[in-house]
Amino acid sequence: MPRPISATINLGALRHNLAVARRHAPASRVLAVVKANAYGHGLLRVVRALSAADGFALLELEAAVQLREAGCTQRIVMLEGFFDARDLAVLLEHRLDAVVHSGDQLELLRALPSGGKLGVLLKINTGMNRLGFTLADFPAALADLQANPAIGQIMLMTHFANADDERGVAWQMAELRRLAGDISLPRSFANSAAILRYPETHCDWVRPGIMLYGSSPFADQPAAALGLEPAMTLTSEIVAMQQLKRGDTVGYGGMFTADRDMRIGVVACGYADGYPRHAPNGTPVAVDGRHAGTVGRVSMDMLCVDLSPVPQAHIGSRVVLWGEGNPVENVAQAAGTVGYELLCALAPRVPVTESE
């Protein structure tokens, strides 16, 4: 028999979450972010489910070509742009748009044949300080692109550093208004957090990412309160049980010591499946629909759960590691990380099924 662990991708939840994004930004087109194998959910599966999106954004050139070859006709944007002249040839051949964020890229673009028309998103660094032209360099970069006969549509783009926390977006929006307020070009500014909280950022195109997969971008607001549904549910089963006496320890390094006689369940899931090894005691799981917590250090193939809240649990009891009934952001918060990391880390050895 195969190990009982599996991940289920709910296609209906993906479509529902796209509809939530559209309700928040009804006047904007949607560029669905599907980088990192669609946040671990499966690129082609997600793109099929999100066929109502106006376009898709990702980083991997091979994946973008795969989408075109699979029949995707919507706009496809490369979020890190291109790295050499060979990439540019692929972009033109497959009608892919590119983010332009550096002077080196501008130089490569000057060598493009004028017969090609490459759509570009000119990225402005308004404070993220990762990619993009500084406020001082932006005017010259824009002029360079506008003078290039090989360039098609130009869109302005930035990325918010604090849309999900108290600082918000006002400081970056002020820079954008000062720099590009009178420039008549399409714009794409809003990520998931900005879509949900800052309608002034929506503009022509929005770029939902984590919200499409049913996880909240906010530490202080759960996904359910935002109307989002989890798209991935990772489940396994209890495969063994142990009766501990007070003072017994559990797992490598004895990271948990029983303060009473208790029963624990051994679950077929570990860090080789994508579960975080650093998850502490008490990280939430759901056993037969009841809330419980982990005990001891997560090992490669197994983790242990305190069954005190679930006295009826038995070998074969269903365990939700994250997803429906156990939101991924709760697991991430307990483990000191973000839901993005957990979803993207789903291991190839975990079987994946689809549901509606």
Side-chain angles (χ1 to χ4, degrees), residues 260-276:
R260 65 193 185 285
D261 292 355
M262 61 187 297
R263 190 171 61 132
I264 63 169
V266 181
V267 181
C269 178
Y271 59 78
D273 300 299
Y275 199 87

Side-chain angles (χ1 to χ4, degrees), residues 65-342:
V65 172
Q66 184 183 18
L67 288 186
R68 283 288 185 246
E69 292 177 343
C72 178
T73 59
Q74 291 99 320
R75 184 176 205 168
I76 298 177
V77 172
M78 310 307 300
L79 288 171
E80 286 185 354
F82 49 90
F83 302 97
D84 56 36
R86 291 170 297 181
D87 290 349
L88 281 173
V90 176
L91 296 179
L92 288 171
E93 179 184 356
H94 294 278
R95 296 174 292 108
L96 308 173
D97 293 354
V99 170
V100 175
H101 56 78
S102 73
D104 290 340
Q105 290 177 319
L106 290 175
E107 185 173 347
L108 286 169
L109 288 172
R110 294 186 197 112
L112 271 183
S114 58
K117 289 293 183 182
L118 180 69
V120 299
L121 289 79
L122 178 58
K123 191 161 191 176
I124 310 167
N125 177 10
T126 55
M128 185 76 162
N129 291 319
R130 200 171 58 178
L131 296 179
F133 291 93
T134 65
L135 304 184
D137 293 336
F138 164 76
L142 176 59
D144 194 305
L145 290 174
Q146 289 176 324
N148 189 333
I151 299 302
Q153 184 189 67
I154 301 172
M155 182 183 299
L156 303 183
M157 175 187 180
T158 198
H159 196 57
F160 294 121
N162 301 95
D164 59 342
D165 63 32
E166 292 182 0
R167 190 178 186 189
V169 302
W171 61 287
Q172 288 179 271
M173 287 298 291
E175 295 290 349
L176 287 165
R177 283 191 293 271
R178 183 164 61 86
L179 184 69
D182 297 328
I183 297 174
S184 181
L185 287 173
R187 299 162 185 237
S188 176
F189 298 156
N191 56 5
S192 290
I195 291 168
L196 293 166
R197 282 193 177 169
Y198 300 105
E200 68 272 21
T201 68
H202 293 169
C203 304
D204 302 279
W205 288 78
V206 294
R207 305 190 306 274
I210 193 65
M211 69 177 295
L212 294 176
Y213 307 98
S215 181
S216 172
F218 307 115
D220 61 350
Q221 197 169 14
L226 298 167
L228 302 173
E229 298 177 356
M232 179 194 293
T233 299
L234 179 64
T235 62
S236 189
E237 295 178 2
I238 293 176
V239 296
M241 292 187 293
Q242 297 289 340
Q243 189 69 42
L244 303 184
K245 296 184 180 300
R246 181 178 179 180
D248 284 348
T249 61
V250 176
Y252 290 116
M255 302 298 291
F256 174 82
T257 301
D259 61 359
R260 65 193 185 285
D261 292 355
M262 61 187 297
R263 190 171 61 132
I264 63 169
V266 181
V267 181
C269 178
Y271 59 78
D273 300 299
Y275 199 87
R277 181 179 181 272
H278 58 276
N281 295 324
T283 298
V285 298
V287 180
D288 285 341
R290 300 278 297 274
H291 293 294
T294 62
V295 292
R297 178 175 287 161
V298 175
S299 55
M300 182 179 289
D301 309 304
M302 291 172 280
L303 57 82
C304 296
V305 176
D306 178 5
L307 296 179
S308 302
V310 198
Q312 77 277 14
H314 54 84
I315 291 177
S317 284
R318 183 174 186 262
V319 179
V320 176
L321 286 312
W322 64 66
E324 190 172 351
N326 187 31
V328 68
E329 58 260 32
N330 291 357
V331 181
Q333 184 175 27
T337 184
V338 290
Y340 304 70
E341 181 180 6
L342 301 186

